[in-house]
Amino acid sequence: MIHRVLAADLPSHVGRTVRLAGWLHRRRELKSVSFLVVRDRSGLAQVVLREPVPYPEETVLEITGTVVANPQAPGGAELAAEVRPRPGGPGRAPDRAPGGGPERSRTPAAGPAIEVLSEAVQAPPFDLYRPAVPAALPTVLDHAPAALRHPRLRAPFEIAAAGVAGFRAALDGLGFTETHTPKIVGTATESGANVFGLDYFGRPAFLAQSPQFYKQALVGVFERVYEVGPVFRAEPHDTARHLAQYTSLDAELGFVRDHRDVMAVLREALAGMHASAAGGAGAALSLLGIALPEVPEEIPAIHFADAQELISRHTGEDPRGEPDLAPAHERWLGAWALREHGSEFLFVTGYPMIKRPFYTHPDPERPEFSRSFDLLFRGLELVTGGQRLHRYADYLAALAARGEDPEAYTGYLAAFACGMPPHGGFAIGLERWTARLTGAANIRQATLFPRDLHRLSP
Amino acid sequence: MIHRVLAADLPSHVGRTVRLAGWLHRRRELKSVSFLVVRDRSGLAQVVLREPVPYPEETVLEITGTVVANPQAPGGAELAAEVRPRPGGPGRAPDRAPGGGPERSRTPAAGPAIEVLSEAVQAPPFDLYRPAVPAALPTVLDHAPAALRHPRLRAPFEIAAAGVAGFRAALDGLGFTETHTPKIVGTATESGANVFGLDYFGRPAFLAQSPQFYKQALVGVFERVYEVGPVFRAEPHDTARHLAQYTSLDAELGFVRDHRDVMAVLREALAGMHASAAGGAGAALSLLGIALPEVPEEIPAIHFADAQELISRHTGEDPRGEPDLAPAHERWLGAWALREHGSEFLFVTGYPMIKRPFYTHPDPERPEFSRSFDLLFRGLELVTGGQRLHRYADYLAALAARGEDPEAYTGYLAAFACGMPPHGGFAIGLERWTARLTGAANIRQATLFPRDLHRLSP
């Protein structure tokens, strides 16, 4: 059987007979010649042949022909195919299209030049071959299996896949162990709200909102762990940034001095994601016209209190006393970091304890502030993390201070009772990272099959 | 601050002052000397010092001292630490334990030799330092956060993590794209039974039993996809091999000739898993005394009908006419493959259509048999896979033949209506792979925090 060659590899096979396989991305029929664009996982290839091709777009084809140099074709080469070669006889050299390259070649007749592997019986919801996506988001989402075939709609997921690979590679290199933890849990402890309930063999259970408790417990086992997996939020808000399921890139590490060691690891993870995207999803980045932002060797950091000072000094507003940053102030800080530090990333550290979960480690010198951080990317929060409490007694005190019953946390607290090092971690929302990087206005553009308040299929 | 050195790296620091950090794995007090074993993520290290250490096991410590060669210590080196060095003065060389190595060294006093990062306030459910695990499985599972710290109980998860990394590396090298698909689905289509129901914003929904439909649809987008993620089965059976949640290593690829191309990719994925485990989890494999089985260049394969023939010829039984293999017959085939082919792996192909899901591709020459396969490992099923239908009309016919309403499959069928190549795939249960490889009698020994009929915590 003649070797299959991917579209992107055609240029290195000029003069040879090869087999191309993929989807009929587009066809144009001229009087005596057909131009096809065939799409496969590597990209697009042009095919010319001298007879009409009576199949609709998205039909799956195998085409045998000769690779011919053509400066006008993608990558500088195209496939010259024949239809119905004479049985037993030599193949006929295909006519060249006007403007085609100089080379001609005689192909041995090895069988029919075009084989239909499966004919499309339904048109996609919009023309997949148009460079821009000619459809609104709901149409794309309703018809995701077909719509995602559009190269621009597929591209973010190639970037996401490369990013995750870079996340893992960076953490593997730092001695982390990958883990897989339960997504069905018995208590909705981290936050009672926004949790999906479940019938678990007749008992109530919940979908995990994060692997927080498990990754902390596993610091006691592996010291450094990460998990890439789904988390679930029963978000009752229908916004451009909420999903009922998203992919969380979670990491947690022991034996830290404080949150700064966690920030240093996050910097490495992010740099790994960006390097991997640049290397593994270069075509997708080019297609979307994205220049990857540089992750500085040291990401600038500002304390929450200093950030509020700065904002009150330079804007007409005075946010001091507020326990959190307003979105407009995050944007202001993002612009400030770019101006002052040349960085699209900025750490804001030391958020007030009152806004952080009970396991957050306070700043011993200013106990109203925490050893936590947010990482802003272009003025928007991308990652949250920090140092956690690690002493059993501190957990009991923190729960008591919030009026919570430690009984509900027995399984969680067991890890701390048995000795846990100072530790901390962070969680990156994969879809959020991808959306921010690709400039997607809606996080659903960075989610293959989003789940939200209204959407449960496809 | 003095550099932290991992236990496994002590031998390359002989003569230097270093900081060791980890859990007090074991302590033995002699008259004038204490022997500590400290556990960190890399392994165990021996520490000697001349004063008593009044902390219980699992206390988290940082110990500063001098690395001393000692042929009796793990790796041939141990840490000689001092307690309460004289402020400002030079450190005292610790007394050598009887049988200790020849080297002595004077340590500069850089601060207290032992710092307690967090004291254990509760003993683990059993002695973590005993070489064999002195506890039954329910005790281990009930106290997983502490119990998994036992090196033998942790080891399977190091092997699992390395295996998954190898799975991904093999498929990345073959042009696969990693995906993340919904775990909450609107219809329990693949199998009505054993599915967890969910309240999804007031609507009924289900936890996905597999990413089957999504990975097939995504063949239309990426050609070759894989996903590592949780799948959920409401298994009402309380056995040693059933879990309510497990980690599925799913792959699916387009443009296959038939199931044999899928089997070839599975062989590469498995070889990648084994190579990665050998390289990345060597210490865990040694600890458990496991010699990794070789994955043959070509795994032997036998057709289901031929397997039944063979069994009826060589055993007293005649399974012909049965639509599936009995466990005893799988074991017999496993022994046969080892004897005849020197392989611990055996593909059984062509299972009867009647036992396979509706999307299974039949064998065109013997339509009662399918283009599916099971991979047996040591006589037990490890992987299931095969070629799927790819033409829209074939799906309609297959659903009609089973009396199913195609309306329920609208979202799924859309991918096939728009043109899909011949494709197939497989799913490896991670916990099953790990359990088989490590010889675990119960799959829960290969699951960090198992979920089953009775267990919803920790």
Side-chain angles (χ1 to χ4, degrees):
Chain A
M1 195 184 211
I2 294 165
H3 187 56
R4 181 186 176 195
V5 164
L6 292 176
D9 297 334
L10 272 196
S12 57
H13 289 77
V14 168
R16 277 183 250 169
T17 298
V18 303
R19 185 166 53 94
L20 195 69
W23 287 261
L24 182 54
H25 192 58
R26 180 158 204 201
R27 66 192 173 109
R28 278 186 305 138
E29 310 273 352
L30 301 186
K31 202 153 47 182
S32 63
V33 70
S34 298
F35 288 92
L36 311 183
V37 178
V38 171
R39 188 186 72 240
D40 67 17
R41 69 177 188 268
S42 74
L44 305 174
Q46 182 167 295
V47 177
V48 290
L49 70 175
R50 52 177 288 159
E51 300 197 20
V53 175
Y55 314 114
E57 267 112 13
E58 291 309 300
T59 292
V60 184
L61 301 170
E62 276 193 345
I63 309 176
T64 303
T66 306
V67 186
V68 176
N70 174 1
Q72 263 96 45
E78 65 189 10
L79 193 72
E82 306 178 357
V83 177
R84 296 184 211 106
R86 287 168 195 153
R92 294 168 299 167
D95 284 355
R96 294 294 308 138
E103 293 199 25
R104 278 156 189 264
S105 161
R106 297 188 69 83
T107 316
I114 291 196
E115 192 187 339
V116 174
L117 297 180
S118 118
E119 192 165 336
V121 298
Q122 193 177 292
F126 53 86
D127 293 335
L128 297 179
Y129 57 80
R130 297 198 188 278
V133 177
L137 186 57
T139 304
V140 168
L141 299 179
D142 288 345
H143 302 276
L148 292 170
R149 298 178 184 188
H150 190 291
R152 287 190 72 90
L153 295 177
R154 183 182 60 198
F157 304 100
E158 292 166 3
I159 296 167
V164 175
F167 174 83
R168 290 198 199 94
L171 296 184
D172 286 344
L174 293 170
F176 280 71
T177 300
E178 184 179 13
T179 62
H180 307 279
T181 64
K183 304 307 161 201
I184 305 176
V185 293
T187 40
T189 41
E190 199 184 346
S191 147
N194 300 350
V195 67
F196 285 111
L198 185 75
D199 172 12
Y200 190 78
F201 301 114
R203 277 186 287 169
F206 307 94
L207 289 185
Q209 291 178 299
S210 84
Q212 181 65 31
F213 296 174
Y214 292 106
K215 68 177 180 172
Q216 287 189 258
L218 290 173
V219 164
V221 179
F222 302 103
E223 275 191 39
R224 303 180 151 209
V225 293
Y226 67 84
E227 177 161 4
V228 174
V231 297
F232 305 91
R233 307 279 166 106
E235 282 289 351
H237 305 296
D238 189 17
T239 77
R241 60 200 172 84
H242 284 110
L243 291 171
Q245 176 190 323
Y246 67 87
T247 304
S248 185
L249 312 185
D250 268 278
E252 197 80 13
L253 62 147
F255 298 100
V256 300
R257 267 174 319 162
D258 55 32
H259 56 297
R260 289 170 299 172
D261 286 344
V262 181
M263 289 156 62
V265 167
L266 169 55
R267 189 267 156 202
E268 294 307 305
L270 260 184
M273 292 174 75
H274 285 234
S276 176
L285 290 165
S286 304
L287 181 69
L288 298 179
I290 294 167
L292 276 177
E294 206 193 330
V295 182
E297 201 63 53
E298 180 138 9
I299 295 175
I302 185 170
H303 191 278
F304 179 85
D306 299 335
Q308 287 193 326
E309 279 287 332
L310 204 61
I311 290 162
S312 73
R313 203 158 62 233
H314 288 92
T315 72
E317 298 165 60
D318 188 355
R320 287 171 298 180
E322 293 293 325
D324 208 347
L325 292 174
H329 294 153
E330 290 188 341
R331 284 194 295 276
W332 189 90
L333 286 169
W336 172 83
L338 190 59
R339 204 166 57 235
E340 293 293 316
H341 298 283
S343 170
E344 304 205 70
F345 296 93
L346 175 69
F347 277 120
V348 179
T349 64
Y351 282 81
M353 282 296 286
I354 199 166
K355 287 295 282 184
R356 294 275 159 161
F358 71 88
Y359 49 77
T360 306
H361 199 294
D363 180 346
E365 284 162 26
R366 291 194 282 180
E368 73 275 25
F369 293 108
S370 68
R371 282 183 171 174
S372 71
F373 59 82
D374 273 9
L375 178 65
L376 306 186
F377 171 49
R378 296 177 179 158
L380 287 160
E381 181 231 315
L382 179 65
V383 190
T384 293
Q387 186 182 352
R388 332 295 189 182
L389 299 174
H390 60 279
R391 289 194 181 87
Y392 183 68
D394 291 342
Y395 274 91
L396 294 184
L399 288 169
R402 303 213 180 195
E404 295 231 43
D405 180 5
E407 277 297 312
Y409 296 84
T410 306
Y412 177 49
L413 296 179
F416 304 101
C418 282
M420 282 284 280
H423 65 284
F426 57 85
I428 307 173
L430 175 61
E431 294 81 359
R432 186 177 283 198
W433 176 80
T434 310
R436 296 280 157 81
L437 212 59
T438 58
N442 193 309
I443 196 159
R444 290 162 185 78
Q445 293 164 268
T447 313
L448 286 169
F449 303 100
R451 290 291 175 266
D452 60 29
L453 192 53
H454 304 295
R455 192 167 291 279
L456 189 50
S457 73
Chain B
M1 196 182 208
I2 294 165
H3 187 56
R4 181 186 175 194
V5 164
L6 292 176
D9 298 333
L10 271 196
S12 56
H13 290 75
V14 168
R16 276 184 253 169
T17 298
V18 302
R19 184 166 54 96
L20 195 68
W23 287 261
L24 181 54
H25 191 60
R26 180 157 203 202
R27 66 192 171 109
R28 279 187 303 139
E29 312 272 352
L30 300 188
K31 204 154 45 181
S32 64
V33 71
S34 297
F35 288 92
L36 311 183
V37 178
V38 171
R39 188 186 72 241
D40 67 18
R41 70 177 186 267
S42 74
L44 305 174
Q46 183 166 296
V47 178
V48 289
L49 69 176
R50 52 176 287 157
E51 298 197 22
V53 174
Y55 314 115
E57 268 111 14
E58 291 309 298
T59 292
V60 184
L61 301 169
E62 276 192 344
I63 308 175
T64 303
T66 306
V67 186
V68 176
N70 174 1
Q72 261 95 48
E78 66 189 8
L79 193 72
E82 306 178 357
V83 177
R84 296 185 210 106
R86 285 167 197 154
R92 293 168 297 166
D95 283 356
R96 296 293 309 136
E103 292 196 24
R104 279 158 190 261
S105 162
R106 297 188 69 84
T107 317
I114 291 195
E115 193 188 339
V116 174
L117 297 180
S118 116
E119 192 165 334
V121 298
Q122 193 176 291
F126 52 87
D127 292 336
L128 297 179
Y129 57 79
R130 297 200 189 278
V133 177
L137 186 58
T139 303
V140 168
L141 299 179
D142 287 345
H143 303 276
L148 292 170
R149 299 178 183 187
H150 190 289
R152 287 190 71 91
L153 296 177
R154 182 182 61 199
F157 303 101
E158 292 166 4
I159 296 167
V164 175
F167 173 83
R168 291 198 198 95
L171 296 183
D172 286 344
L174 293 170
F176 280 70
T177 300
E178 184 179 11
T179 63
H180 306 279
T181 64
K183 304 307 160 202
I184 305 177
V185 294
T187 41
T189 40
E190 199 185 347
S191 147
N194 300 352
V195 67
F196 286 110
L198 185 73
D199 172 13
Y200 190 77
F201 300 116
R203 279 187 285 169
F206 306 93
L207 288 185
Q209 291 178 300
S210 83
Q212 182 64 32
F213 296 172
Y214 292 107
K215 69 178 181 171
Q216 287 189 258
L218 291 173
V219 165
V221 179
F222 303 104
E223 276 190 38
R224 304 181 151 208
V225 292
Y226 68 84
E227 177 161 4
V228 175
V231 298
F232 305 92
R233 308 277 167 107
E235 283 288 352
H237 305 294
D238 189 17
T239 77
R241 60 200 172 83
H242 285 108
L243 291 171
Q245 175 190 325
Y246 67 87
T247 304
S248 185
L249 312 185
D250 267 278
E252 197 80 13
L253 62 147
F255 299 100
V256 300
R257 267 174 319 163
D258 56 31
H259 56 297
R260 289 170 299 172
D261 285 345
V262 181
M263 288 155 63
V265 167
L266 170 54
R267 189 267 157 202
E268 293 307 306
L270 259 183
M273 292 173 76
H274 285 234
S276 176
L285 290 165
S286 304
L287 181 67
L288 299 179
I290 293 167
L292 275 177
E294 205 193 331
V295 182
E297 202 62 54
E298 181 139 8
I299 295 175
I302 186 169
H303 192 279
F304 179 85
D306 299 334
Q308 286 193 328
E309 279 287 332
L310 204 61
I311 290 162
S312 75
R313 203 158 61 233
H314 286 92
T315 72
E317 298 164 60
D318 189 355
R320 288 171 299 180
E322 293 292 326
D324 208 347
L325 293 174
H329 294 153
E330 290 187 341
R331 285 194 294 276
W332 189 91
L333 287 169
W336 172 83
L338 190 59
R339 204 167 56 235
E340 293 294 316
H341 299 283
S343 170
E344 303 206 69
F345 296 93
L346 175 68
F347 276 121
V348 179
T349 65
Y351 282 80
M353 282 296 287
I354 199 168
K355 287 295 282 184
R356 293 276 161 161
F358 70 90
Y359 49 75
T360 305
H361 199 294
D363 181 345
E365 285 162 26
R366 291 195 281 179
E368 73 275 26
F369 293 108
S370 67
R371 282 184 171 173
S372 71
F373 59 81
D374 274 9
L375 178 65
L376 307 186
F377 172 49
R378 295 177 180 159
L380 287 159
E381 180 232 315
L382 180 64
V383 190
T384 292
Q387 187 183 352
R388 332 295 188 181
L389 299 174
H390 59 281
R391 291 193 180 87
Y392 183 67
D394 291 342
Y395 274 92
L396 294 183
L399 287 170
R402 303 212 181 196
E404 295 231 42
D405 180 6
E407 277 298 313
Y409 296 84
T410 306
Y412 177 49
L413 295 178
F416 303 101
C418 282
M420 281 285 280
H423 64 282
F426 57 85
I428 307 173
L430 175 61
E431 294 81 358
R432 187 177 283 198
W433 176 79
T434 310
R436 296 281 156 81
L437 211 61
T438 59
N442 193 309
I443 197 158
R444 290 163 184 78
Q445 293 165 268
T447 313
L448 286 168
F449 303 100
R451 290 291 175 263
D452 61 29
L453 192 53
H454 305 295
R455 192 167 291 278
L456 189 50
S457 73

